[in-house]
Amino acid sequence: MEEKGSSNGRPLILADYRTTSTFEEIPVIDVQDLMSSDPKVRRALADEIRDACTNVGFFYVENHTVQPSVIEGALAAAKNFFSLPLSEKMSLDIHKSANFKGYTALLGENTNPENRGDLHEGFDIGWEKMFGGSRSDDGAMTGNNVWPEGLPGFRESVLDYYHAAVLLGKLLFPIFALALDLPENFFDDKTTNPAAIMRLLYYPPQTGVVDDRVVGIGAHTDYECFTILWQDGVQALQVCNNEGKWIDAVPIPGTFVVNLGDQLARWTNDVFKSTLHRAVNRSGVERYSIPLFFGTDYNVKLEPLPSCVSEDNPAKYEVVCAGDYVKSRLEATYAHSK
Ligand SMILES: O=C(O)CCC(=O)C(=O)O
Ligand SMILES: [Fe+2]
């Protein structure tokens, strides 16, 4: 790839990085140096991440900070929850909660408006301290979590995972900032109350002829800055390249898939890609995944970075408040099953 500006003293015009190149595979990035005390090492990692963000919008991270036991706990919690009788799950129906917390039944969501509903079940939570409860003010997205009764340890296992994934997300923000040639602390004052939504997802297998309008999760882009996704060993996630071809995000043990969402696309005026993806579980067995969508605080304005706007790449998006934006996207996703 052509060398364009960068950390050698010349100003970086990020707008020049916007690319229409395509990809055939998703890069794997080792993030064990995320907290290195050597700025050169962090810079090298940021360059690798910038490449993935401008060309693909997806990458795997290996050697991350989340302990396997925490992941196993969350997976066991998910399996216990989704095995509950439907009536118990429906008592936590997401439509009854303030701001999209709780249970989504099969076909309850329709992520791609051209489809007929998504073939997955979900359970959504937002920020909550393990001890001391929910946060009082998330602006347009304020609302408490809801928890099932009669599943001992469920809340603890889910929150353990939530906080471990949020911590990883907090470590990723500075490296994204560096990748954008911003001060590493650029996002610090914009992520003081991590606006992170976590979901447990269950995908039944789809057998026989698959109606393209009813798949595990329809083609969509994510709403927040980035998503940290744990997936089990069952292949289903697919990422759309620039030629419209679906590339399998093959499960790689020990990794997370990280993908950019529309908030970061808006900050960067589409220099960083929020890439279309979907999940179709044709494996014949059940699949579980756990995305955590990490955005800026809900009161932050999503404004394009000056270095991402140029004469050739004028600002594409109107400035919006993060909370209003996430809420409007969620409202659209659940509108059909209201
Ligand atoms: O389950 C997956 O692999 C993808 C889930 C997803 O794209 C989402 O929840 O936004
Ligand atoms: Fe997604």
Side-chain angles (χ1 to χ4, degrees):
M1 215 171 118
E2 195 199 335
E3 177 79 22
K4 294 173 186 156
S6 180
S7 30
N8 55 13
R10 281 179 290 143
L12 180 70
I13 308 297
L14 276 158
D16 293 349
Y17 274 78
R18 195 140 89 197
T19 162
T20 52
S21 72
T22 198
F23 59 92
E24 290 294 323
E25 57 186 43
I26 298 164
V28 181
I29 300 183
D30 185 331
V31 291
Q32 71 176 341
D33 289 330
L34 215 44
M35 286 178 287
S36 166
S37 56
D38 183 346
K40 280 205 194 94
V41 171
R42 295 201 305 278
R43 177 76 253 169
L45 178 58
D47 286 346
E48 222 181 319
I49 286 185
R50 177 165 63 211
D51 223 45
C53 292
T54 51
N55 290 306
V56 186
F58 268 73
F59 54 96
Y60 296 88
V61 292
E62 63 181 6
N63 289 321
H64 56 71
T65 52
V66 182
Q67 296 302 312
S69 60
V70 173
I71 299 173
E72 283 154 24
L75 175 61
K79 289 184 174 173
N80 288 338
F81 177 78
F82 292 118
S83 320
L84 289 174
L86 185 59
S87 59
E88 264 181 66
K89 292 186 279 190
M90 284 308 282
S91 70
L92 302 175
D93 184 3
I94 201 160
H95 296 98
K96 292 194 229 163
S97 86
N99 277 328
F100 309 99
K101 310 294 192 310
Y103 173 67
T104 303
L106 277 186
L107 306 177
E109 237 177 295
N110 196 29
T111 316
N112 176 351
E114 286 168 19
N115 284 7
R116 294 183 176 169
D118 294 336
L119 209 60
H120 67 248
E121 293 179 51
F123 178 76
D124 284 41
I125 68 160
W127 173 269
E128 178 174 327
K129 283 191 202 155
M130 185 69 86
F131 306 102
S134 303
R135 206 162 43 210
S136 57
D137 186 15
D138 270 334
M141 280 296 289
T142 301
N144 288 348
N145 290 331
V146 292
W147 297 102
E149 285 169 14
L151 274 189
F154 176 82
R155 175 180 171 274
E156 288 70 20
S157 298
V158 172
L159 283 182
D160 256 354
Y161 181 92
Y162 181 93
H163 288 287
V166 164
L167 198 66
L168 174 59
K170 280 204 156 230
L171 295 173
L172 286 171
F173 265 113
I175 211 84
F176 280 123
L178 207 52
L180 290 163
D181 253 24
L182 295 166
E184 283 174 84
N185 64 1
F186 177 81
F187 290 106
D188 284 6
D189 64 351
K190 298 162 188 70
T191 51
T192 57
N193 293 319
I197 296 171
M198 168 181 164
R199 315 193 71 197
L200 303 174
L201 292 176
Y202 161 73
Y203 296 88
Q206 278 190 273
T207 46
V209 180
V210 172
D211 177 347
D212 262 357
R213 286 167 303 169
V214 187
V215 295
I217 189 163
H220 68 282
T221 52
D222 290 349
Y223 315 154
E224 287 81 357
C225 284
F226 56 86
T227 305
I228 298 171
L229 174 87
W230 178 83
Q231 53 174 341
D232 69 11
V234 177
Q235 167 63 52
L237 179 61
Q238 298 184 307
V239 181
C240 192
N241 77 8
N242 280 348
E243 289 162 352
K245 180 170 150 194
W246 290 106
I247 307 292
D248 286 342
V250 177
I252 304 179
T255 66
F256 288 115
V257 173
V258 174
N259 65 284
L260 305 187
D262 294 343
Q263 284 190 8
L264 215 44
R266 293 176 89 99
W267 278 108
T268 65
N269 202 26
D270 278 352
V271 173
F272 276 14
K273 283 188 176 149
S274 175
T275 304
L276 199 67
H277 55 284
R278 68 179 185 185
V280 191
N281 180 11
R282 295 180 206 263
S283 67
V285 294
E286 298 173 329
R287 174 177 188 264
Y288 295 86
S289 70
I290 311 177
L292 182 121
F293 308 100
F294 205 152
T296 64
D297 292 353
Y298 287 126
N299 62 359
V300 167
K301 285 207 167 72
L302 306 172
E303 295 172 292
L305 297 165
S307 65
C308 294
V309 179
S310 69
E311 232 169 78
D312 293 340
N313 281 312
K316 290 175 76 173
Y317 301 106
E318 60 165 335
V319 175
V320 287
C321 172
D324 296 333
Y325 179 70
V326 170
K327 185 166 182 159
S328 70
R329 296 290 300 271
L330 285 166
E331 276 169 350
T333 303
Y334 286 97
H336 81 291
S337 60
K338 227 171 170 180

